[in-house]
């Protein structure tokens, strides 16, 4: 099993669900350049792969949703 990172597509979601979201990609729609955000995203992936806990892990959620269609909460 591997950690599942939740990536927000908009900052409102990230702001409203800080205990769910691991990375806010919504800043792309607010003027942040992809070239600036991509290194941050890669760094986050490397950190999680190196042992940093995701929000789910920190909050004690251990569900499995492999091959599930649609939204998973």
């Amino acid at each position: 099993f591997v950690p599942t990172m939740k990536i927000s597509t908009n900052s409102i979601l990230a702001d409203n669900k800080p205990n769910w979201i691991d990375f806010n990609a919504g800043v792309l729609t607010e003027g942040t350049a992809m070239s600036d955000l991509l290194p941050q995203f890669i760094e986050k992936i490397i950190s999680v792969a190196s042992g940093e806990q995701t929000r789910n892990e920190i909050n004690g959620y251990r569900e499995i949703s492999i091959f599930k269609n649609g939204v998973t909460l």
Side-chain angles (χ1 to χ4, degrees), residues 15-37:
D15 292 342
N16 287 332
K17 301 294 182 182
N19 290 328
W20 290 9
I21 303 300
D22 296 294
F23 189 84
N24 178 16
V27 294
L28 285 172
T29 64
E30 299 165 358
T32 299
M34 177 68 82
S35 59
D36 293 333
L37 190 61

Side-chain angles (χ1 to χ4, degrees), residues 2-3 5 7-8 11-12 14-16 21-23 30-32 35 38 41 44-45 48-50 56 58 62 69 73:
V2 296
M5 288 177 47
I7 302 163
S8 174
S11 294
I12 294 171
D15 292 342
N16 287 332
I21 303 300
D22 296 294
F23 189 84
E30 299 165 358
T32 299
S35 59
L38 183 59
F41 183 58
K44 182 66 172 180
I45 291 171
V48 170
S50 298
N56 274 349
I58 291 168
R62 304 282 189 258
N69 292 328
L73 299 176

